[in-house]
C-alpha cells in the first residue's frame, strides 16, 4: 500500500490552486454590467473551478481516510487514472452534442469516479445521476442555458 500523504498533498495543492483561480473570477465578475436575467461571462468558468475544487477535496479525503488502492505500482495507477480521466473528458465532449447531456453526463461522471478509485458501483451510479441532474437543473432551468438534447429529442 502506498503512502496516502501523496494524495493529501496533491489534493491540498490542487484545492489551493482552484481557490486561487476562483477568487479573481468573482472580482472580475463584479465589474461586468449585466442586464436583468443575463448570465455573467464568468459563470461557466466558475463551474469548472468548482468541479476542480470538488475533485481536489475528493482526492484529499481519499488520502485522509486511506481507501484501498489498486494493484500495481503507484506510478502506474496514477498515470492510468490521469489518462483515463482525460480520455473520458474528451469522449464526453465529443459525444455531448450528438448524444445529449442527460445520457453523456452520468456516464462520464460514473467513469471518472471509477478512475479516481471508488469501487462502490451503486454509490457511483447514485452520485453520477444526482450530479448530472443537479447540474441540469442549475444550468438548464435556473441559468436558462440550452444543453444538448438527446438524439431522439431532435
Amino acid at each position: 500500500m502506498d503512502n496516502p500523504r501523496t494524495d493529501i498533498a496533491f489534493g491540498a495543492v490542487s484545492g489551493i490552486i482552484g481557490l486561487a483561480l476562483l477568487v479573481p473570477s468573482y472580482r472580475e465578475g463584479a465589474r461586468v454590467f449585466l442586464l436583468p436575467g443575463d448570465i455573467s461571462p464568468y459563470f461557466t468558468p466558475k463551474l469548472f473551478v468548482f468541479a476542480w475544487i470538488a475533485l481536489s477535496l475528493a482526492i484529499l479525503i481519499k488520502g485522509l481516510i486511506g481507501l484501498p488502492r489498486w494493484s500495481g505500482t503507484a506510478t502506474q495507477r496514477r498515470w492510468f487514472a490521469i489518462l483515463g480521466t482525460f480520455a473520458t473528458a474528451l469522449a464526453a465532449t465529443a459525444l455531448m452534442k450528438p448524444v445529449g447531456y442527460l445520457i453523456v453526463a452520468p456516464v462520464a461522471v460514473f467513469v471518472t469516479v471509477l478512475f479516481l478509485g471508488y469501487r462502490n458501483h451503486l454509490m457511483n451510479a447514485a452520485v453520477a445521476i444526482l450530479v448530472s441532474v443537479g447540474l441540469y437543473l442549475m444550468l438548464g432551468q435556473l441559468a436558462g442555458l440550452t444543453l444538448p438534447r438527446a438524439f431522439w429529442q431532435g
Side-chain angles (χ1 to χ4, degrees):
M1 193 176 258
D2 54 298
N3 193 346
R5 285 183 261 167
T6 56
D7 286 343
I8 294 169
F10 181 74
V13 169
S14 296
I16 291 169
I17 292 171
L19 290 173
L21 292 171
L22 188 63
V23 170
S25 72
Y26 279 103
R27 285 189 198 138
E28 295 298 322
R31 297 180 191 169
V32 176
F33 175 74
L34 297 173
L35 296 173
D38 285 349
I39 297 173
S40 168
Y42 296 96
F43 181 74
T44 303
K46 283 180 192 175
L47 290 178
F48 285 113
V49 173
F50 280 124
W52 176 326
I53 293 170
L55 289 173
S56 300
L57 288 174
I59 293 169
L60 178 67
I61 291 169
K62 180 181 176 183
L64 289 173
I65 62 176
L67 291 174
R69 312 281 194 236
W70 295 347
S71 61
T73 67
T75 304
Q76 289 172 340
R77 288 192 309 269
R78 287 189 185 105
W79 277 110
F80 180 72
I82 290 168
L83 293 176
T85 303
F86 184 71
T88 302
L90 286 177
T93 303
L95 293 173
M96 189 68 70
K97 191 168 184 175
V99 178
Y101 173 83
L102 287 176
I103 296 172
V104 173
V107 173
V109 171
F110 184 82
V111 172
T112 301
V113 294
L114 280 178
F115 281 125
L116 291 176
Y118 298 98
R119 293 288 177 239
N120 184 344
H121 298 308
L122 183 61
M123 181 63 77
N124 292 351
V127 167
I129 291 170
L130 289 174
V131 166
S132 300
V133 169
L135 283 174
Y136 174 77
L137 292 174
M138 186 172 62
L139 295 174
Q141 305 302 317
L142 294 176
L145 298 177
T146 304
L147 296 172
R149 293 176 168 229
F151 58 88
W152 66 82
Q153 293 176 331

